[in-house]
Amino acid sequence: MRKLLVSVDHTRCVGNGTCLTIASNVFAHNADRQSVVVNPTGDPNDQILEAAETCPVSAITVRDAETGEELFP
């Protein structure tokens, strides 16, 4: 299984929560109701990528941890 680096751009995140619905073990809301990564291995990679793809403001970036290859966006 490929190890992923997952990050959330807080200048874009509006706290929609879609990522929490799809990958609830990876994302949580902070005090400002913005998503944060709490466990980058908490859900299967396909769920993490789906969460990134469905973010309405494209605030989530996913990279391959070994190669640095950007997988999303």
Side-chain angles (χ1 to χ4, degrees):
M1 182 167 79
R2 179 185 275 190
K3 186 173 178 182
L4 303 179
L5 294 174
V6 185
S7 62
V8 178
D9 181 347
H10 288 153
T11 63
R12 291 178 161 217
C13 181
V14 295
N16 175 276
T18 303
C19 59
L20 278 74
T21 302
I22 296 170
S24 61
N25 295 310
V26 173
F27 298 97
H29 275 149
N30 64 15
D32 295 323
R33 223 178 123 63
Q34 290 182 307
S35 296
V36 292
V37 178
V38 293
N39 181 3
T41 60
D43 286 305
N45 289 353
D46 60 331
Q47 281 181 244
I48 296 168
L49 288 167
E50 182 183 351
E53 290 172 10
T54 59
C55 178
V57 294
S58 300
I60 302 170
T61 301
V62 182
R63 295 182 184 273
D64 183 294
E66 289 182 23
T67 67
E69 174 191 0
E70 194 170 276
L71 304 174
F72 193 86

